[in-house]
Amino acid sequence: MSQTIRSPQRLAGTLAVPGDKSVSHRSLILNAIARGAATVTGLSDGADVRSTAACLRAMGVAIDPLDEPGSFRVAGPGPNLNEPADMLDAGNSGTSMRLLSGLLAGQDFLSVLTGDGSLRSRPMARIVRPLQQMGAAIMGRGGDTLAPLAIRGGSLRSIEYTMPVASAQVKSCLMLAGLSAPGPTVLRQPALSRDHTERMMTAMGARVEADGLALTLHPAELQAVNVAVPGDISSAAFWMVAGLIHPNARVTITGVGLNPSRAGIIDALQMMGAGDALRLENERVEGGEPVADVVASSGSLRGIELGGDIIPIMIDELPVLAVAACFAAGDTVIRDAAELRVKESDRIATTVSELTRLGGLLEPREDGMVIHGTGRLTGAPVESHGDHRLAMSMAVAGLAASGATVIHGAGDASVSYPTFWEHLASLTGEQ
Ligand code: S3P
């Protein structure tokens, strides 16, 4: 599927983005092994979360839709799931594969996890090695570095582990395994990453102690909790940038989750000089997470240097930040972001190549990129490279570029944001 985008006269409207993908995965996985049943509202309907739901259903977890769209009743068979009769397919979703691996390491049966071509090329040693240290029997292709992963779960040892990467997926994988270890699991993080697992496990009765970058999880049997999933800031980021770079825009995104471990994009855009053009309204707390409406209108941006601790808390927003940087005055330098190379695509290579096709001036670096802001892009054909966030970032670029931008692989957006193209049409007045 391809989509052709032209810059509209005006970009305006109010919309609610899908439920947060990270919170959605966790609401299903943690409630699946908890005692009791829970209601989840606002669940993401993206393909990634559907992959997690399908894997859990294959292990005896009931995930049943309720009357309200996006609402589900989740009831697992208890802390012990049923052995799946076939391979579990995580599709395109790194979160499904890595979190479920941690869960399955503690389950007394055989499971095999696979995924699409992109996921089968992404690094799994980062979870396999520490799970093996915990005593899990887990094997994968390429010397246990790649999926498919075969796991014979069973009893585990407690470990103290220094994580080489600031990854919430690795952290959450080991926390899930740690639930069934005999004693505390201690994880030392190189930097803070999203903390939804810590928050949800705590709400479910587990003891999770954070001391700076160290985290201690005590083994626990979880109790089911209802989860109200906030709007996904990673999806909202597309409209924030679109509003800021379009010359005649005012876009309101309602109910956006602003957990501090996710909100780096707001800080980065403020550092770029967004000021009042990016405002938070109706700030409130819903389901234990800070939430607000975000209003983005035409602004003028300047280049910045971005690196260090902010990177893990806006890792998924860096491609669309690069789009903003093309429209900023001066250079933007992104460093300490080598993790971008092992996402759904090599996002350093793909962001640079596709924005270059639109006339952007970018240079790849081993751990990031330099973007020379010129204030303009010119429409051209671009590719998604099988990456949902790249497809949507190119659409945002197209909303402010001159001429027509044709996005090949536009359907990939449905991995996290199935209504993206409808929402775009509603903002441009085509619907
Ligand atoms: C996620 C963590 C991030 C992020 C991904 C979702 C999660 O990956 O890129 O989209 O839900 O834990 P890493 O933690 O591996 O950086």
Side-chain angles (χ1 to χ4, degrees), residues 228-251:
V229 182
D232 198 327
I233 188 168
S234 298
S235 300
F238 298 112
W239 308 127
M240 293 183 210
V241 171
L244 286 166
I245 63 175
H246 188 279
N248 182 12
R250 188 188 154 94
V251 181

Side-chain angles (χ1 to χ4, degrees), residues 53-400:
C55 292
L56 292 171
R57 285 188 176 116
M59 294 186 284
V61 181
I63 302 171
D64 298 320
L66 300 171
D67 286 345
E68 184 74 17
S71 295
F72 291 82
R73 180 179 181 276
V74 184
N80 298 319
L81 302 179
N82 304 335
E83 181 172 70
D86 203 346
M87 292 231 270
L88 299 171
D89 189 354
N92 190 243
S93 173
T95 309
S96 310
M97 178 158 293
R98 296 197 177 109
L99 270 59
L100 288 173
S101 297
L103 174 70
L104 291 165
Q107 297 282 327
D108 193 10
F109 53 67
L110 178 78
S111 50
V112 182
L113 274 157
T114 191
D116 70 8
S118 155
L119 186 53
R120 279 183 280 109
S121 71
R122 294 177 64 186
M124 293 299 150
R126 54 181 60 197
I127 56 162
V128 170
R129 300 282 179 257
L131 287 174
Q132 287 173 336
Q133 281 181 35
M134 293 180 84
I138 170 165
M139 283 172 288
R141 278 188 311 132
D144 300 345
T145 64
L146 297 170
L149 300 176
I151 305 172
R152 168 152 312 276
S155 54
L156 298 173
R157 288 190 284 278
S158 308
I159 55 165
E160 286 198 27
Y161 184 66
T162 300
M163 293 170 40
V165 281
S167 160
Q169 293 182 352
V170 174
K171 171 172 66 178
S172 304
C173 166
L174 299 177
M175 289 177 74
L176 278 155
L179 285 176
S180 49
T185 298
V186 180
L187 303 175
R188 297 201 177 77
Q189 314 174 66
L192 287 182
S193 57
R194 65 194 68 192
D195 65 0
H196 306 297
T197 306
E198 293 90 311
R199 286 178 187 238
M200 209 179 285
M201 279 192 182
T202 304
M204 294 178 143
R207 216 167 101 213
V208 184
E209 291 150 7
D211 179 10
L213 294 173
L215 197 117
T216 305
L217 167 77
H218 298 266
E221 196 178 284
L222 303 179
Q223 303 300 320
V225 291
N226 296 339
V227 179
V229 182
D232 198 327
I233 188 168
S234 298
S235 300
F238 298 112
W239 308 127
M240 293 183 210
V241 171
L244 286 166
I245 63 175
H246 188 279
N248 182 12
R250 188 188 154 94
V251 181
T252 302
I253 316 125
T254 57
V256 180
L258 292 175
N259 177 317
S261 67
R262 292 289 297 285
I265 181 66
I266 307 252
D267 298 334
L269 291 170
Q270 286 303 346
M271 287 187 316
M272 293 177 86
D276 280 348
L278 186 69
R279 286 198 326 274
L280 303 182
E281 291 182 351
N282 300 322
E283 288 183 62
R284 57 216 188 250
V285 175
E286 279 176 11
E289 297 262 355
V291 169
D293 303 337
V294 181
V295 186
S297 35
S298 318
S300 57
L301 301 175
R302 57 176 177 269
I304 55 167
E305 300 219 347
L306 211 55
D309 289 350
I310 196 171
I311 296 295
I313 64 175
M314 58 174 298
I315 189 74
D316 292 339
E317 291 67 73
L318 290 169
V320 79
L321 186 95
V323 176
C326 288
F327 286 91
D331 292 353
T332 294
V333 181
I334 300 173
R335 51 172 72 96
D336 305 323
E339 274 296 297
L340 288 177
R341 294 212 178 265
V342 291
K343 294 296 179 187
E344 288 83 331
S345 69
D346 173 345
R347 287 185 177 156
I348 294 177
T350 55
T351 301
V352 168
S353 75
E354 299 316 294
L355 286 173
T356 302
R357 290 204 205 192
L358 298 179
L361 296 178
L362 298 92
E363 293 162 38
R365 294 277 161 90
E366 207 39 58
D367 69 341
M369 62 188 90
V370 179
I371 305 126
H372 304 289
T374 56
R376 77 164 74 96
L377 291 175
T378 308
V382 289
E383 296 288 335
S384 71
H385 295 270
D387 184 336
H388 56 129
R389 299 206 194 280
L390 201 72
M392 294 185 277
S393 297
M394 291 308 121
V396 171
L399 285 171

